[in-house]
Amino acid sequence: MATKEIAPEEAHAADEVFHSEQPEKGPTRRCLVSGERRGKEELIRFVVDPEGRLVPDLACRLPGRGLWLLADRGLFEKACQRRLFARAAKAKVEVPEGLGAEVERQLRRRVLDHLGLARRAGAVVAGHDKVRVWLTQGKAALLMQACDGALAARRRVEALGRGHRPDLKVIEEFDAEALGYALGRSPTVHVALLPGGAAERLTVEFARLVGFSAPGSDVARK
């Protein structure tokens, strides 16, 4: 994969720089572009691998000093343009070409992975009729519908859900094949999740995907 080399530079302004000496203890992290402190779930962790390449660490498991960035594609581009990753790491850093698109791809995968985990936890129903039952009973906190499903049918199911639960969250980013694959079944248009940890974790991952999606993306923002 083609890369571009980023050399360390002097900081433009003290409030823009993430100082790598700061410990990673505590529930919040500082964005190296904005300087804001936010919960880890709102940021994306990057590390520099032994070859000096910048690597995304969405699960926060890789060794090394974390370089944290709010899940915002514009901030990522700014960090690359201003060479902030290298300045934070105090070393030369190679940013692989297309890294932003790769992070977005991994975020999409994580949302679907969390859907699969929710199914295994018994927090999911799929299929038009089963989903309608949960929505009518007000049991679902999150409704996922395939973006290539019939629009009129999707709007009717959404209206039913919001009629019984106004705070119902709706995601319509993935096609029927992707939803079905995540659930281990044939292509699926309608999926509902119970309230609780599974739905909350999926929602958090989707929020990161929304923030990091490239301009012009069709990612739903409901």
mmCIF file of all heavy atoms in Angstrom, residues 154-199:
data_model
loop_
_atom_site.group_PDB
_atom_site.id
_atom_site.type_symbol
_atom_site.label_atom_id
_atom_site.label_comp_id
_atom_site.label_asym_id
_atom_site.label_seq_id
_atom_site.Cartn_x
_atom_site.Cartn_y
_atom_site.Cartn_z
ATOM 1 N N ARG A 154 -40.721 0.428 4.790
ATOM 2 C CA ARG A 154 -39.848 0.893 5.873
ATOM 3 C C ARG A 154 -40.484 2.027 6.647
ATOM 4 O O ARG A 154 -40.416 2.090 7.883
ATOM 5 C CB ARG A 154 -38.500 1.335 5.301
ATOM 6 C CG ARG A 154 -37.603 0.183 4.900
ATOM 7 C CD ARG A 154 -36.217 0.670 4.534
ATOM 8 N NE ARG A 154 -36.155 1.219 3.193
ATOM 9 C CZ ARG A 154 -35.472 2.307 2.845
ATOM 10 N NH1 ARG A 154 -34.818 3.005 3.758
ATOM 11 N NH2 ARG A 154 -35.437 2.708 1.599
ATOM 12 N N ARG A 155 -41.123 2.956 5.935
ATOM 13 C CA ARG A 155 -41.743 4.089 6.611
ATOM 14 C C ARG A 155 -42.930 3.636 7.475
ATOM 15 O O ARG A 155 -43.171 4.196 8.552
ATOM 16 C CB ARG A 155 -42.200 5.132 5.585
ATOM 17 C CG ARG A 155 -41.076 5.828 4.822
ATOM 18 C CD ARG A 155 -40.239 6.763 5.712
ATOM 19 N NE ARG A 155 -39.274 6.049 6.521
ATOM 20 C CZ ARG A 155 -38.079 5.646 6.097
ATOM 21 N NH1 ARG A 155 -37.695 5.891 4.861
ATOM 22 N NH2 ARG A 155 -37.269 5.000 6.908
ATOM 23 N N ARG A 156 -43.681 2.639 6.993
ATOM 24 C CA ARG A 156 -44.799 2.147 7.796
ATOM 25 C C ARG A 156 -44.302 1.484 9.082
ATOM 26 O O ARG A 156 -44.856 1.719 10.161
ATOM 27 C CB ARG A 156 -45.637 1.150 6.985
ATOM 28 C CG ARG A 156 -46.509 1.785 5.920
ATOM 29 C CD ARG A 156 -47.545 0.801 5.414
ATOM 30 N NE ARG A 156 -46.925 -0.347 4.748
ATOM 31 C CZ ARG A 156 -46.648 -0.395 3.448
ATOM 32 N NH1 ARG A 156 -46.926 0.646 2.672
ATOM 33 N NH2 ARG A 156 -46.091 -1.482 2.918
ATOM 34 N N VAL A 157 -43.256 0.687 8.968
ATOM 35 C CA VAL A 157 -42.717 0.015 10.154
ATOM 36 C C VAL A 157 -42.125 1.039 11.120
ATOM 37 O O VAL A 157 -42.330 0.954 12.336
ATOM 38 C CB VAL A 157 -41.655 -1.026 9.733
ATOM 39 C CG1 VAL A 157 -40.944 -1.588 10.956
ATOM 40 C CG2 VAL A 157 -42.313 -2.151 8.944
ATOM 41 N N GLU A 158 -41.432 2.026 10.588
ATOM 42 C CA GLU A 158 -40.869 3.065 11.453
ATOM 43 C C GLU A 158 -41.972 3.839 12.176
ATOM 44 O O GLU A 158 -41.872 4.109 13.383
ATOM 45 C CB GLU A 158 -40.016 4.025 10.626
ATOM 46 C CG GLU A 158 -39.420 5.150 11.452
ATOM 47 C CD GLU A 158 -38.606 6.126 10.613
ATOM 48 O OE1 GLU A 158 -38.317 5.813 9.443
ATOM 49 O OE2 GLU A 158 -38.264 7.200 11.152
ATOM 50 N N ALA A 159 -43.025 4.201 11.445
ATOM 51 C CA ALA A 159 -44.128 4.947 12.057
ATOM 52 C C ALA A 159 -44.795 4.128 13.152
ATOM 53 O O ALA A 159 -45.168 4.662 14.209
ATOM 54 C CB ALA A 159 -45.147 5.336 10.985
ATOM 55 N N LEU A 160 -44.949 2.824 12.921
ATOM 56 C CA LEU A 160 -45.524 1.954 13.945
ATOM 57 C C LEU A 160 -44.660 1.977 15.201
ATOM 58 O O LEU A 160 -45.164 2.124 16.322
ATOM 59 C CB LEU A 160 -45.620 0.524 13.413
ATOM 60 C CG LEU A 160 -46.054 -0.539 14.423
ATOM 61 C CD1 LEU A 160 -47.487 -0.296 14.876
ATOM 62 C CD2 LEU A 160 -45.914 -1.940 13.819
ATOM 63 N N GLY A 161 -43.369 1.856 15.011
ATOM 64 C CA GLY A 161 -42.473 1.842 16.164
ATOM 65 C C GLY A 161 -42.492 3.142 16.932
ATOM 66 O O GLY A 161 -42.567 3.150 18.171
ATOM 67 N N ARG A 162 -42.421 4.259 16.219
ATOM 68 C CA ARG A 162 -42.403 5.561 16.903
ATOM 69 C C ARG A 162 -43.742 5.863 17.555
ATOM 70 O O ARG A 162 -43.794 6.606 18.548
ATOM 71 C CB ARG A 162 -42.016 6.657 15.914
ATOM 72 C CG ARG A 162 -40.585 6.552 15.402
ATOM 73 C CD ARG A 162 -40.139 7.832 14.721
ATOM 74 N NE ARG A 162 -38.855 7.688 14.055
ATOM 75 C CZ ARG A 162 -37.678 7.752 14.651
ATOM 76 N NH1 ARG A 162 -37.630 7.920 15.963
ATOM 77 N NH2 ARG A 162 -36.555 7.638 13.956
ATOM 78 N N GLY A 163 -44.805 5.285 17.027
ATOM 79 C CA GLY A 163 -46.112 5.489 17.648
ATOM 80 C C GLY A 163 -46.200 4.877 19.025
ATOM 81 O O GLY A 163 -46.926 5.374 19.893
ATOM 82 N N HIS A 164 -45.457 3.807 19.245
ATOM 83 C CA HIS A 164 -45.469 3.135 20.548
ATOM 84 C C HIS A 164 -44.254 3.488 21.388
ATOM 85 O O HIS A 164 -44.275 3.290 22.609
ATOM 86 C CB HIS A 164 -45.526 1.619 20.345
ATOM 87 C CG HIS A 164 -46.826 1.137 19.787
ATOM 88 N ND1 HIS A 164 -47.932 0.871 20.562
ATOM 89 C CD2 HIS A 164 -47.195 0.897 18.499
ATOM 90 C CE1 HIS A 164 -48.929 0.481 19.791
ATOM 91 N NE2 HIS A 164 -48.515 0.482 18.538
ATOM 92 N N ARG A 165 -43.219 4.020 20.749
ATOM 93 C CA ARG A 165 -42.007 4.393 21.485
ATOM 94 C C ARG A 165 -41.359 5.573 20.754
ATOM 95 O O ARG A 165 -40.540 5.376 19.849
ATOM 96 C CB ARG A 165 -41.048 3.206 21.569
ATOM 97 C CG ARG A 165 -39.910 3.428 22.547
ATOM 98 C CD ARG A 165 -39.021 2.195 22.621
ATOM 99 N NE ARG A 165 -37.985 2.380 23.625
ATOM 100 C CZ ARG A 165 -37.828 1.652 24.718
ATOM 101 N NH1 ARG A 165 -38.650 0.640 24.957
ATOM 102 N NH2 ARG A 165 -36.856 1.892 25.577
ATOM 103 N N PRO A 166 -41.713 6.809 21.128
ATOM 104 C CA PRO A 166 -41.213 7.990 20.396
ATOM 105 C C PRO A 166 -39.700 8.106 20.357
ATOM 106 O O PRO A 166 -39.159 8.718 19.434
ATOM 107 C CB PRO A 166 -41.838 9.163 21.179
ATOM 108 C CG PRO A 166 -43.061 8.590 21.815
ATOM 109 C CD PRO A 166 -42.676 7.188 22.184
ATOM 110 N N ASP A 167 -39.002 7.530 21.344
ATOM 111 C CA ASP A 167 -37.540 7.632 21.376
ATOM 112 C C ASP A 167 -36.853 6.507 20.601
ATOM 113 O O ASP A 167 -35.630 6.332 20.713
ATOM 114 C CB ASP A 167 -37.036 7.655 22.819
ATOM 115 C CG ASP A 167 -37.346 6.361 23.578
ATOM 116 O OD1 ASP A 167 -38.216 5.586 23.114
ATOM 117 O OD2 ASP A 167 -36.728 6.127 24.635
ATOM 118 N N LEU A 168 -37.609 5.763 19.816
ATOM 119 C CA LEU A 168 -37.037 4.671 19.040
ATOM 120 C C LEU A 168 -35.926 5.191 18.125
ATOM 121 O O LEU A 168 -36.098 6.158 17.397
ATOM 122 C CB LEU A 168 -38.132 4.018 18.179
ATOM 123 C CG LEU A 168 -37.685 2.882 17.258
ATOM 124 C CD1 LEU A 168 -37.356 1.633 18.070
ATOM 125 C CD2 LEU A 168 -38.770 2.583 16.227
ATOM 126 N N LYS A 169 -34.781 4.544 18.178
ATOM 127 C CA LYS A 169 -33.666 4.881 17.281
ATOM 128 C C LYS A 169 -33.782 4.040 16.018
ATOM 129 O O LYS A 169 -34.151 2.863 16.077
ATOM 130 C CB LYS A 169 -32.324 4.640 17.970
ATOM 131 C CG LYS A 169 -32.052 5.534 19.165
ATOM 132 C CD LYS A 169 -30.682 5.248 19.748
ATOM 133 C CE LYS A 169 -30.349 6.218 20.884
ATOM 134 N NZ LYS A 169 -31.296 6.086 22.015
ATOM 135 N N VAL A 170 -33.464 4.655 14.876
ATOM 136 C CA VAL A 170 -33.589 3.972 13.588
ATOM 137 C C VAL A 170 -32.277 4.088 12.817
ATOM 138 O O VAL A 170 -31.724 5.180 12.691
ATOM 139 C CB VAL A 170 -34.741 4.563 12.743
ATOM 140 C CG1 VAL A 170 -34.857 3.828 11.411
ATOM 141 C CG2 VAL A 170 -36.062 4.491 13.511
ATOM 142 N N ILE A 171 -31.796 2.974 12.318
ATOM 143 C CA ILE A 171 -30.582 2.940 11.490
ATOM 144 C C ILE A 171 -30.945 2.290 10.163
ATOM 145 O O ILE A 171 -31.498 1.181 10.142
ATOM 146 C CB ILE A 171 -29.453 2.143 12.175
ATOM 147 C CG1 ILE A 171 -28.971 2.872 13.434
ATOM 148 C CG2 ILE A 171 -28.293 1.906 11.205
ATOM 149 C CD1 ILE A 171 -27.939 2.098 14.240
ATOM 150 N N GLU A 172 -30.620 2.968 9.069
ATOM 151 C CA GLU A 172 -30.919 2.444 7.736
ATOM 152 C C GLU A 172 -29.692 2.569 6.837
ATOM 153 O O GLU A 172 -29.783 3.015 5.700
ATOM 154 C CB GLU A 172 -32.126 3.165 7.136
ATOM 155 C CG GLU A 172 -33.403 2.940 7.925
ATOM 156 C CD GLU A 172 -34.635 3.532 7.263
ATOM 157 O OE1 GLU A 172 -34.472 4.488 6.480
ATOM 158 O OE2 GLU A 172 -35.747 3.035 7.521
ATOM 159 N N GLU A 173 -28.566 2.153 7.335
ATOM 160 C CA GLU A 173 -27.303 2.300 6.617
ATOM 161 C C GLU A 173 -26.935 1.065 5.791
ATOM 162 O O GLU A 173 -26.302 1.175 4.749
ATOM 163 C CB GLU A 173 -26.186 2.597 7.626
ATOM 164 C CG GLU A 173 -24.776 2.375 7.129
ATOM 165 C CD GLU A 173 -24.388 3.259 5.952
ATOM 166 O OE1 GLU A 173 -25.141 4.181 5.604
ATOM 167 O OE2 GLU A 173 -23.329 3.002 5.369
ATOM 168 N N PHE A 174 -27.329 -0.124 6.237
ATOM 169 C CA PHE A 174 -26.844 -1.367 5.649
ATOM 170 C C PHE A 174 -27.898 -2.008 4.760
ATOM 171 O O PHE A 174 -29.104 -1.867 4.999
ATOM 172 C CB PHE A 174 -26.427 -2.331 6.757
ATOM 173 C CG PHE A 174 -25.418 -1.747 7.698
ATOM 174 C CD1 PHE A 174 -25.812 -1.101 8.867
ATOM 175 C CD2 PHE A 174 -24.068 -1.794 7.400
ATOM 176 C CE1 PHE A 174 -24.889 -0.542 9.728
ATOM 177 C CE2 PHE A 174 -23.131 -1.234 8.249
ATOM 178 C CZ PHE A 174 -23.530 -0.598 9.410
ATOM 179 N N ASP A 175 -27.441 -2.726 3.741
ATOM 180 C CA ASP A 175 -28.414 -3.377 2.856
ATOM 181 C C ASP A 175 -28.879 -4.699 3.466
ATOM 182 O O ASP A 175 -28.358 -5.159 4.492
ATOM 183 C CB ASP A 175 -27.853 -3.572 1.443
ATOM 184 C CG ASP A 175 -26.613 -4.464 1.393
ATOM 185 O OD1 ASP A 175 -26.439 -5.324 2.288
ATOM 186 O OD2 ASP A 175 -25.820 -4.301 0.450
ATOM 187 N N ALA A 176 -29.872 -5.305 2.822
ATOM 188 C CA ALA A 176 -30.489 -6.515 3.369
ATOM 189 C C ALA A 176 -29.506 -7.663 3.452
ATOM 190 O O ALA A 176 -29.540 -8.459 4.399
ATOM 191 C CB ALA A 176 -31.699 -6.903 2.512
ATOM 192 N N GLU A 177 -28.613 -7.759 2.481
ATOM 193 C CA GLU A 177 -27.637 -8.838 2.501
ATOM 194 C C GLU A 177 -26.699 -8.702 3.693
ATOM 195 O O GLU A 177 -26.373 -9.696 4.370
ATOM 196 C CB GLU A 177 -26.838 -8.849 1.205
ATOM 197 C CG GLU A 177 -25.849 -9.999 1.105
ATOM 198 C CD GLU A 177 -25.142 -10.064 -0.230
ATOM 199 O OE1 GLU A 177 -25.450 -9.232 -1.104
ATOM 200 O OE2 GLU A 177 -24.284 -10.949 -0.402
ATOM 201 N N ALA A 178 -26.232 -7.478 3.974
ATOM 202 C CA ALA A 178 -25.316 -7.261 5.095
ATOM 203 C C ALA A 178 -26.000 -7.564 6.425
ATOM 204 O O ALA A 178 -25.398 -8.199 7.310
ATOM 205 C CB ALA A 178 -24.796 -5.826 5.077
ATOM 206 N N LEU A 179 -27.244 -7.129 6.591
ATOM 207 C CA LEU A 179 -27.964 -7.406 7.832
ATOM 208 C C LEU A 179 -28.173 -8.909 8.006
ATOM 209 O O LEU A 179 -27.980 -9.454 9.103
ATOM 210 C CB LEU A 179 -29.309 -6.682 7.835
ATOM 211 C CG LEU A 179 -29.261 -5.154 7.932
ATOM 212 C CD1 LEU A 179 -30.684 -4.579 7.876
ATOM 213 C CD2 LEU A 179 -28.560 -4.693 9.199
ATOM 214 N N GLY A 180 -28.578 -9.570 6.935
ATOM 215 C CA GLY A 180 -28.794 -11.004 7.017
ATOM 216 C C GLY A 180 -27.511 -11.751 7.343
ATOM 217 O O GLY A 180 -27.508 -12.675 8.167
ATOM 218 N N TYR A 181 -26.416 -11.359 6.719
ATOM 219 C CA TYR A 181 -25.135 -12.021 6.966
ATOM 220 C C TYR A 181 -24.723 -11.861 8.432
ATOM 221 O O TYR A 181 -24.248 -12.814 9.059
ATOM 222 C CB TYR A 181 -24.068 -11.430 6.053
ATOM 223 C CG TYR A 181 -22.723 -12.107 6.178
ATOM 224 C CD1 TYR A 181 -22.456 -13.301 5.513
ATOM 225 C CD2 TYR A 181 -21.726 -11.567 6.980
ATOM 226 C CE1 TYR A 181 -21.226 -13.928 5.634
ATOM 227 C CE2 TYR A 181 -20.492 -12.195 7.106
ATOM 228 C CZ TYR A 181 -20.253 -13.372 6.434
ATOM 229 O OH TYR A 181 -19.041 -13.987 6.571
ATOM 230 N N ALA A 182 -24.908 -10.662 8.984
ATOM 231 C CA ALA A 182 -24.538 -10.424 10.378
ATOM 232 C C ALA A 182 -25.352 -11.283 11.333
ATOM 233 O O ALA A 182 -24.880 -11.658 12.415
ATOM 234 C CB ALA A 182 -24.720 -8.948 10.727
ATOM 235 N N LEU A 183 -26.578 -11.617 10.912
ATOM 236 C CA LEU A 183 -27.475 -12.398 11.766
ATOM 237 C C LEU A 183 -27.441 -13.889 11.445
ATOM 238 O O LEU A 183 -28.170 -14.672 12.066
ATOM 239 C CB LEU A 183 -28.904 -11.875 11.620
ATOM 240 C CG LEU A 183 -29.131 -10.446 12.139
ATOM 241 C CD1 LEU A 183 -30.500 -9.940 11.718
ATOM 242 C CD2 LEU A 183 -28.977 -10.391 13.651
ATOM 243 N N GLY A 184 -26.634 -14.276 10.454
ATOM 244 C CA GLY A 184 -26.564 -15.681 10.086
ATOM 245 C C GLY A 184 -27.821 -16.200 9.421
ATOM 246 O O GLY A 184 -28.206 -17.359 9.627
ATOM 247 N N ARG A 185 -28.431 -15.356 8.602
ATOM 248 C CA ARG A 185 -29.666 -15.755 7.932
ATOM 249 C C ARG A 185 -29.697 -15.156 6.533
ATOM 250 O O ARG A 185 -28.754 -14.495 6.111
ATOM 251 C CB ARG A 185 -30.896 -15.317 8.735
ATOM 252 C CG ARG A 185 -30.901 -13.851 9.124
ATOM 253 C CD ARG A 185 -32.145 -13.471 9.887
ATOM 254 N NE ARG A 185 -33.303 -13.392 9.016
ATOM 255 C CZ ARG A 185 -34.560 -13.576 9.416
ATOM 256 N NH1 ARG A 185 -34.800 -13.890 10.670
ATOM 257 N NH2 ARG A 185 -35.568 -13.458 8.578
ATOM 258 N N SER A 186 -30.787 -15.379 5.825
ATOM 259 C CA SER A 186 -30.932 -14.843 4.482
ATOM 260 C C SER A 186 -31.106 -13.326 4.565
ATOM 261 O O SER A 186 -31.317 -12.765 5.652
ATOM 262 C CB SER A 186 -32.146 -15.475 3.798
ATOM 263 O OG SER A 186 -33.319 -15.245 4.561
ATOM 264 N N PRO A 187 -31.016 -12.620 3.401
ATOM 265 C CA PRO A 187 -31.172 -11.159 3.421
ATOM 266 C C PRO A 187 -32.392 -10.723 4.216
ATOM 267 O O PRO A 187 -33.472 -11.299 4.100
ATOM 268 C CB PRO A 187 -31.292 -10.816 1.934
ATOM 269 C CG PRO A 187 -30.455 -11.857 1.263
ATOM 270 C CD PRO A 187 -30.710 -13.117 2.054
ATOM 271 N N THR A 188 -32.198 -9.699 5.036
ATOM 272 C CA THR A 188 -33.208 -9.281 6.011
ATOM 273 C C THR A 188 -33.395 -7.768 5.945
ATOM 274 O O THR A 188 -32.424 -7.024 5.915
ATOM 275 C CB THR A 188 -32.758 -9.678 7.434
ATOM 276 O OG1 THR A 188 -32.556 -11.097 7.484
ATOM 277 C CG2 THR A 188 -33.792 -9.276 8.467
ATOM 278 N N VAL A 189 -34.645 -7.334 5.940
ATOM 279 C CA VAL A 189 -34.948 -5.901 5.836
ATOM 280 C C VAL A 189 -35.209 -5.278 7.198
ATOM 281 O O VAL A 189 -34.795 -4.154 7.462
ATOM 282 C CB VAL A 189 -36.158 -5.663 4.909
ATOM 283 C CG1 VAL A 189 -36.547 -4.189 4.889
ATOM 284 C CG2 VAL A 189 -35.843 -6.143 3.492
ATOM 285 N N HIS A 190 -35.896 -6.003 8.078
ATOM 286 C CA HIS A 190 -36.312 -5.423 9.355
ATOM 287 C C HIS A 190 -35.677 -6.176 10.527
ATOM 288 O O HIS A 190 -35.770 -7.398 10.624
ATOM 289 C CB HIS A 190 -37.835 -5.467 9.500
ATOM 290 C CG HIS A 190 -38.577 -4.909 8.331
ATOM 291 N ND1 HIS A 190 -38.662 -3.555 8.078
ATOM 292 C CD2 HIS A 190 -39.248 -5.533 7.325
ATOM 293 C CE1 HIS A 190 -39.374 -3.368 6.981
ATOM 294 N NE2 HIS A 190 -39.734 -4.542 6.501
ATOM 295 N N VAL A 191 -35.048 -5.420 11.440
ATOM 296 C CA VAL A 191 -34.402 -5.988 12.629
ATOM 297 C C VAL A 191 -34.713 -5.076 13.811
ATOM 298 O O VAL A 191 -34.661 -3.844 13.683
ATOM 299 C CB VAL A 191 -32.874 -6.084 12.446
ATOM 300 C CG1 VAL A 191 -32.218 -6.681 13.685
ATOM 301 C CG2 VAL A 191 -32.510 -6.891 11.204
ATOM 302 N N ALA A 192 -35.006 -5.659 14.957
ATOM 303 C CA ALA A 192 -35.278 -4.864 16.164
ATOM 304 C C ALA A 192 -34.426 -5.377 17.314
ATOM 305 O O ALA A 192 -34.183 -6.581 17.428
ATOM 306 C CB ALA A 192 -36.759 -4.928 16.533
ATOM 307 N N LEU A 193 -33.996 -4.443 18.159
ATOM 308 C CA LEU A 193 -33.175 -4.788 19.327
ATOM 309 C C LEU A 193 -33.844 -4.309 20.599
ATOM 310 O O LEU A 193 -34.415 -3.206 20.646
ATOM 311 C CB LEU A 193 -31.781 -4.157 19.237
ATOM 312 C CG LEU A 193 -30.771 -4.786 18.275
ATOM 313 C CD1 LEU A 193 -31.033 -4.334 16.855
ATOM 314 C CD2 LEU A 193 -29.351 -4.428 18.678
ATOM 315 N N LEU A 194 -33.739 -5.126 21.635
ATOM 316 C CA LEU A 194 -34.244 -4.762 22.951
ATOM 317 C C LEU A 194 -33.400 -3.649 23.566
ATOM 318 O O LEU A 194 -32.234 -3.477 23.208
ATOM 319 C CB LEU A 194 -34.197 -5.973 23.880
ATOM 320 C CG LEU A 194 -35.161 -7.130 23.612
ATOM 321 C CD1 LEU A 194 -34.804 -8.310 24.503
ATOM 322 C CD2 LEU A 194 -36.612 -6.692 23.848
ATOM 323 N N PRO A 195 -33.969 -2.904 24.522
ATOM 324 C CA PRO A 195 -33.145 -1.944 25.274
ATOM 325 C C PRO A 195 -32.066 -2.701 26.045
ATOM 326 O O PRO A 195 -32.215 -3.879 26.358
ATOM 327 C CB PRO A 195 -34.147 -1.281 26.227
ATOM 328 C CG PRO A 195 -35.501 -1.601 25.682
ATOM 329 C CD PRO A 195 -35.371 -2.909 24.966
ATOM 330 N N GLY A 196 -30.975 -2.011 26.332
ATOM 331 C CA GLY A 196 -29.915 -2.637 27.114
ATOM 332 C C GLY A 196 -28.559 -2.457 26.487
ATOM 333 O O GLY A 196 -28.386 -1.700 25.524
ATOM 334 N N GLY A 197 -27.604 -3.172 27.034
ATOM 335 C CA GLY A 197 -26.221 -2.993 26.635
ATOM 336 C C GLY A 197 -25.956 -3.248 25.169
ATOM 337 O O GLY A 197 -25.173 -2.528 24.538
ATOM 338 N N ALA A 198 -26.579 -4.278 24.591
ATOM 339 C CA ALA A 198 -26.313 -4.610 23.190
ATOM 340 C C ALA A 198 -26.718 -3.468 22.269
ATOM 341 O O ALA A 198 -25.955 -3.058 21.393
ATOM 342 C CB ALA A 198 -27.047 -5.896 22.808
ATOM 343 N N ALA A 199 -27.926 -2.940 22.473
ATOM 344 C CA ALA A 199 -28.390 -1.829 21.643
ATOM 345 C C ALA A 199 -27.553 -0.578 21.879
ATOM 346 O O ALA A 199 -27.253 0.167 20.936
ATOM 347 C CB ALA A 199 -29.862 -1.538 21.930
#
